[in-house]
Amino acid sequence: MSLTDLPPGGARAVARCDALAVAPFSDMQGGLFRAYLTPAYAAAQEVVAGWMERAGMQVRRDTAANLVGRYEGALGHAPALVIGSHLDSVRDGGAYDGPLGIMLGIEAIAALNAQGRRLPFPIEVYAFGDEEGSRFPAAMLTSRAVAGTLDAAALDIADAAGVTLAEALASTRDYLAAARAPGATLAYLEAHIEQGPVLEAEGLAVGTVTGIAAQRRYAVTVGGMAGHAGTTAMRLRRDPLAGAAAMVLAVEQVARGDDSDVVATVGMIEARPGAPNVIPGEVRFTIDVRSGAEDRRDRAAKAILARIVEIADARGLDCAVERIHDLAASPCDPALMDMMDAALAAAGQPVRRLVSGAGHDAMNMAALCPTAMLFIRCRDGISHNPAEHVDAADAEIALRVMLGFVERLGESCAS
Ligand code: GLV
Ligand code: MN
Ligand code: MN
């Protein structure tokens, strides 16, 4: 059956994510990489806009290049329920991290529209552009712009090829004008794959998210002395890559040693100039530190940075550390969690609450309105990996829960 013939519902949401995981919606051969403002991103926006329109929405692109579909409510200017997730991916990522939440939002509108149903509030489905930070040295630019928490200084960035955000946008419109007006947002709902093993281990399809862990990222530059790999005696070297190797191990040791929910990752490292016969002159790497509690994250980050300075000093290396991303822990709204639990129970699902170690656009939207998240089981808890998998049956359950949640939110507005 072709994509256009698929009946509405969870299976179609999954099939649409699968369709978006290949060229022209991916910028890499043989896998999925869809970074913000690339040709693959534009191609994906175009088809998703068509799906939004067919579901009954008016579609626009905001000044941060988010795609937004609006389904009017019964009352003229009531604040909107925003349902959102992200269209970008990590490099060689899975098909569902991000797009599934958008596709389920579109399916929810399609279901309401098919019944001619209008809620007491409009619903806007946001396909956010940059959640992963896969292109520019910043993450969640687009939901921060929408939430009104993005500092204008954050816009002076360039990707690895030196293309600035302004150039990539090809627009002179004010990026920060993507901010939603105060009072224009009733609540934010995001459905997302769990990206962890808890639901699967407990035989559950879906769960209510209680909140999102605090996260912080650093960019570290280690400077040494470039030299000839054949002629420079070992005792004379100031090798920043050997130093960075010790630093990477220190990152792991600090997080392990905390014996808590603290996690720390070096996910990118680059040695320059990068040749087999050259001792590198400079190394750059990133550190990502997270915990459900800000104080634990901060303590671990402090310990990591202290070890890095120690290692650099002991090896006579220069070292510069820049904080490039910092988000506080973000609790979901208690009343909306109760509503989600009730929707789970009404859909015949056991009620289970769980915390999110992964970051989500909901963290930023929390500055604007109360937030709710629904997690969906994924196979073996695998994510940020092409092996990511979601069962269509679970997506269908998630859709029913989302519709139940919307229903309850409507009732709470009426009462
Ligand atoms: C997003 O996937 C994140 O948690 O880094
Ligand atoms: Mn992700
Ligand atoms: Mn995601």
Side-chain angles (χ1 to χ4, degrees), residues 86 97 131-132 195 384:
H86 59 99
D97 172 7
E131 191 267 1
E132 303 283 8
Q195 306 183 276
H384 284 187

Side-chain angles (χ1 to χ4, degrees), residues 82-135:
V82 171
I83 300 179
S85 193
H86 59 99
L87 201 53
D88 67 325
S89 81
V90 292
R91 188 177 292 279
D92 204 13
Y96 312 100
D97 172 7
L100 186 60
I102 303 166
M103 299 310 135
L104 286 171
I106 295 172
E107 293 300 339
I109 302 298
L112 294 169
N113 194 35
Q115 298 164 11
R117 194 65 214 289
R118 298 282 163 182
L119 279 299
F121 43 78
I123 303 178
E124 296 199 13
V125 176
Y126 269 73
F128 288 113
D130 163 71
E131 191 267 1
E132 303 283 8
S134 297
R135 176 166 180 186

Side-chain angles (χ1 to χ4, degrees), residues 36-53 58-70 87 124-127 129 146 169 171 173-175 177-178:
Y36 183 41
L37 300 173
T38 60
Y41 179 76
Q45 275 201 331
E46 199 178 317
V47 296
V48 175
W51 293 338
M52 285 177 163
E53 272 161 13
Q58 294 268 334
V59 181
R60 67 186 170 93
R61 282 175 185 75
D62 70 12
T63 58
N66 294 304
L67 190 66
V68 189
R70 181 176 168 97
L87 201 53
E124 296 199 13
V125 176
Y126 269 73
V146 170
L169 278 166
S171 160
R173 292 194 300 158
D174 178 11
Y175 201 86

